Amino acid sequence: MAGVVVVGAQWGDEGKGKIVDWLSHRADVIVRFQGGHNAGHTLVIGNKTFKLHLLPSGVVRGGKLSVIGNGVVVDPWQLLEEVDGMNREGVALGPDDLIVADNACLILPWHKDIDAAREGALGDSKIGTTKRGIGPAYEDRVGRRAIRVADLTDPAALDLKIERLLAHHRPLRAGLGLDEPDGKALKQSLLDIAPKILPYAQPAWKKLSDSVHLGRRILFEGAQGVMLDVDHGTYPFVTSSNVVAGNAAAGSGVGPGAISYVLGLAKAYTTRVGAGPFPTEQDNETGRRLGEQGHEFGTTTGRARRCGWFDAVMVRQACATSGVTGLALTKLDVLDGMDEIRVCIGYRLGDEVLDHYPAGMTDQHAVEPVYETLPGWSASTRGAREWGQLPAEAIKYVRRLEELVRCPVALVSTSPEREDVILVRDPFAAD
């Protein structure tokens, strides 16, 4: 049995969709374990582009079981929209192909209302959420008032759950200037969608337990990036769940012994969507060039991503908190043609030079990057599938990042195309 967790080692958008899809042909089961449809994974397969938000990236591989784990907050309407979209593209997803954990919590229309109203009220202090209700849904989950997938089978339970929700949401919505919540309308909309969702609902933990005992290969797919983790990220400019690899176990219902390898993904440079600190950001021609060459627009929001140099301090910290075994470096080809490339190797804060990202919000905004400059390369790396196809300076760049991050590179992605990957070490074949 092999269990491989894939996590982003930056602020998300590291190319997890492609890498998970590429790895999934080695796997039997692919599991999403946290987040919601605020995730955005783009897969380029031949002449087709798939944009997924809630579905595991492995759904485009035939003969694989995809699982949405209990750690995910599920918008049932979004889920059906994605399933229908895949069907239109010739990828049929039935209950034998897709499981939704019956103990996963639902995102409701009320959650979206609250998310948008709060973000709008914050003005210049806004977090930069996708306004899709993820944070408020997790709040209800922790507050023990969430509606779960299994509740869709029980109208009487829905009445009790909705009453608990109303007790919280009535004053909250009133304070935000929103309309009175309509419990009857919510119940009816849930009952209407239930027959379409429930065929996919199962005890996911049980199916995964059986897979572990049968020696199946399981691929655990994270969303966002470790620096957006609610505990270990740039708080409060973070997501509302634990992104770190340790949550793969809790968010899918398996024990930690089911995980044998953690693959951390990082771009060969750095990007961020939305607000929050970004020490290596290049709000200049370099940043614009990286954005144009890398087509840096959010899959979920469409917003242009902020771009900057590779931050080895941040990635090293992300790898440490997630126990990363090997690194997957993506978008190396975006750096083609640069005369020189800079890498952040420390942070200056006052008279100190830090080797880690500070926890305090003020300090996170105040740090200044300490750079090391490396030579660029003029030859193209795009489409390379072997080390020998890379320019010597590109290889030196990758090796230097390994040293700075203190983690060996397992994969290098050289284009958005599915098979354009240099495999150094197969995570499923690791000892």
Side-chain angles (χ1 to χ4, degrees):
M1 197 284 299
V4 174
V5 181
V6 175
V7 294
Q10 294 165 317
W11 280 298
D13 308 309
E14 300 94 350
K16 291 183 291 296
K18 171 189 169 172
I19 298 300
V20 169
D21 171 63
W22 190 84
L23 284 171
S24 65
H25 81 276
R26 293 163 164 78
D28 303 300
V29 184
I30 299 94
V31 188
R32 269 284 307 274
F33 63 85
Q34 53 78 219
H37 63 304
N38 53 341
H41 293 167
T42 301
L43 310 179
V44 179
I45 300 169
N47 60 355
K48 289 187 177 182
T49 299
F50 297 89
K51 294 190 175 183
L52 307 178
H53 301 278
L54 190 56
L55 291 172
S57 296
V59 294
V60 296
R61 295 274 187 183
K64 311 292 180 180
L65 176 64
S66 293
V67 177
I68 296 176
N70 57 276
V72 179
V73 283
V74 178
D75 182 323
W77 297 275
Q78 170 68 27
L79 177 59
L80 285 183
E81 184 179 318
E82 285 193 41
V83 169
D84 290 344
M86 296 300 290
N87 284 333
R88 290 193 295 271
E89 293 295 334
V91 182
L93 296 175
D96 292 333
D97 309 297
L98 176 66
I99 289 175
V100 180
D102 57 3
N103 57 339
C105 296
L106 299 181
I107 298 175
L108 307 174
W110 297 355
H111 295 135
K112 296 180 183 179
D113 295 342
I114 291 166
D115 204 356
R118 280 177 175 166
E119 191 74 350
L122 287 172
D124 292 339
S125 300
K126 62 181 61 178
I127 301 296
T129 79
T130 58
K131 302 177 185 177
R132 297 195 169 195
I134 281 74
Y138 273 117
E139 290 175 33
D140 279 346
R141 176 186 182 225
V142 174
R144 295 167 292 184
R145 55 182 171 264
I147 293 174
R148 306 205 293 182
V149 173
D151 295 326
L152 298 178
T153 66
D154 188 349
L158 276 181
D159 288 334
L160 293 172
K161 291 286 186 87
I162 289 173
E163 279 304 312
R164 284 181 57 80
L165 278 172
L166 284 169
H168 176 77
H169 282 261
R170 275 196 187 106
L172 180 58
R173 291 175 68 92
L176 290 168
L178 296 171
D179 294 338
E180 172 82 9
D182 188 336
K184 289 183 180 179
L186 175 62
K187 180 181 178 181
Q188 188 57 55
S189 64
L190 290 172
L191 291 176
D192 289 344
I193 203 169
K196 301 174 183 178
I197 294 293
L198 288 174
Y200 298 101
Q202 285 191 41
W205 67 266
K206 187 176 184 300
K207 187 72 173 182
L208 292 172
S209 178
D210 292 342
S211 297
V212 169
H213 286 292
L214 290 170
R216 306 295 191 212
R217 291 179 166 187
I218 305 174
L219 184 59
F220 300 90
E221 176 186 5
Q224 292 87 43
V226 171
M227 298 312 292
L228 290 175
D229 183 278
V230 70
D231 289 314
H232 300 286
T234 49
Y235 191 90
F237 301 96
V238 293
T239 194
S240 298
S241 61
N242 284 115
V243 181
V244 291
N247 194 35
S252 56
V254 301
I259 297 168
S260 58
Y261 193 97
V262 179
L263 183 69
L265 268 69
K267 284 177 180 169
Y269 50 101
T270 309
T271 63
R272 179 165 196 166
V273 172
F278 186 170
T280 65
E281 182 175 12
Q282 298 297 297
D283 188 13
N284 52 29
E285 185 57 36
T286 296
R288 286 187 287 276
R289 182 189 185 283
L290 290 171
E292 291 170 3
Q293 294 292 109
H295 305 288
E296 297 294 354
F297 296 91
T299 304
T300 299
T301 63
R303 290 179 290 183
R305 296 178 184 132
R306 301 154 63 191
C307 298
W309 297 117
F310 188 89
D311 189 335
V313 181
M314 180 181 74
V315 175
R316 183 170 65 241
Q317 186 164 326
C319 289
T321 55
S322 257
V324 169
T325 316
L327 202 64
L329 194 66
T330 65
K331 292 199 170 184
L332 182 66
D333 56 301
V334 174
L335 300 180
D336 290 355
M338 286 194 156
D339 294 330
E340 61 180 32
I341 302 167
R342 306 180 83 185
V343 178
C344 175
I345 59 172
Y347 299 134
R348 191 176 303 282
L349 182 63
D351 295 330
E352 286 187 272
V353 175
L354 306 180
D355 62 356
H356 65 281
Y357 222 136
M361 185 173 71
T362 300
D363 287 348
Q364 287 179 356
H365 282 86
V367 295
E368 297 179 358
V370 177
Y371 285 117
E372 176 179 307
T373 301
L374 301 171
W377 53 89
S378 56
S380 174
T381 65
R382 189 174 180 85
R385 299 183 184 181
E386 297 178 1
W387 277 120
Q389 296 175 320
L390 294 180
E393 297 301 337
I395 295 174
K396 290 177 183 177
Y397 179 70
V398 174
R399 295 307 187 199
R400 181 57 179 148
L401 296 189
E402 287 182 313
E403 294 173 354
L404 292 169
V405 174
R406 300 175 188 167
C407 189
V409 167
L411 303 169
V412 180
S413 173
T414 57
S415 93
E417 295 295 333
R418 175 187 255 178
E419 300 301 332
D420 288 345
V421 173
I422 299 170
L423 176 61
V424 183
R425 188 176 191 187
D426 184 349
F428 279 115
D431 293 334

